Amino acid sequence: MTEKIDFAARKEFIKLLEGHDVTKCFQCGTCTACCVVARFAGNYNPRMIILKALRGSTDVFDDERLWLCGSCHKCSERCPEKVDPAEVLRKIREEALRRGTIPQAICSKVELILKTGFSLEGSGSDILRKRVGLQPLSVIDTGEISKIARLAGLNLPLREEKK
Ligand code: SF4
Ligand code: SF4
C-alpha cells in the first residue's frame, strides 16, 4: 500500500528543520545501521523517523521512540548527505515538547532531576556508601536546575526557587 504524502505538513517539517536539509535523505539506512540504540531496541529506527518527516506524518510527534535517541551523533558523522539526523531528531523532540506530547517516563525523569538533582533514584545508596566507607552523596541545590527547566519551557510542576 502506498502511503500518501501530506505536502502541507511536509512543508512545515522542512521549515521546522531549517538548517538541516532532510530532502537530501535518500533513505540509505546508514543512520539506523550505525545507531547503538537501534542495535538494542529493535523497533527504534532513525531512518523511519526521517521518512515520516518527509511524508509530513505529524504522528511522529506522538512516537515515544523519538525519546530513545541518546544524542551520540554517530549517525550524523556517517550520514553521506550530511542531513545530521541527530540534530533533526532533537528538533522533532523540541517540537513534541512544544505540543505537549512528552512521554510520561521522561516527565518522571525530569521531575526526579528537578527534585533531587540526580537522574536515578538513590534509595539506599547512602547506606551502601557508608558500608564501603564512602561519604554520603552531597545535597544538590536544585534552584538553578529549576531555572534552566523553566527557561527550556518544560511544562512540569517546578520546585519553588530559593529567594
Ligand atoms: S544516513 Fe542520512 S541519507 Fe541515509 S537514511 Fe539516514 S538521514 Fe537519510
Ligand atoms: S544520535 Fe540518536 S539516532 Fe543517532 S546514532 Fe546516536 S542514538 Fe542513534
Side-chain angles (χ1 to χ4, degrees), residues 5-109:
I5 298 174
D6 181 337
F7 284 99
R10 176 186 151 100
K11 211 169 154 188
E12 283 302 309
F13 265 113
I14 292 169
K15 206 168 132 199
L16 171 79
L17 304 171
E18 210 178 2
H20 305 277
D21 193 356
V22 278
T23 60
K24 282 189 181 163
C25 172
F26 66 111
Q27 291 288 293
C28 67
T30 302
C31 47
T32 303
C34 72
C35 175
V36 204
V37 177
R39 195 183 308 159
F40 295 101
N43 61 357
Y44 177 70
N45 189 328
R47 177 189 66 79
M48 282 301 292
I49 294 173
I50 289 173
L51 181 61
K52 278 189 171 191
L54 287 168
R55 283 179 176 154
S57 312
T58 50
D59 65 352
V60 74
F61 299 116
D62 304 322
D63 193 336
E64 297 203 350
R65 286 171 294 187
L66 261 184
W67 301 86
L68 291 176
C69 171
S71 296
C72 67
H73 286 74
K74 208 170 163 190
C75 52
S76 296
E77 281 156 16
R78 286 166 175 74
C79 172
E81 291 298 325
K82 308 266 178 269
V83 170
D84 200 352
E87 283 302 296
V88 167
L89 291 171
R90 184 182 61 78
K91 287 195 171 184
I92 296 176
R93 284 195 300 275
E94 280 177 2
E95 180 60 18
L97 181 62
R98 277 191 285 272
R99 291 172 184 236
T101 55
I102 182 166
Q104 190 50 47
I106 303 288
C107 288
S108 306
K109 190 61 87 184

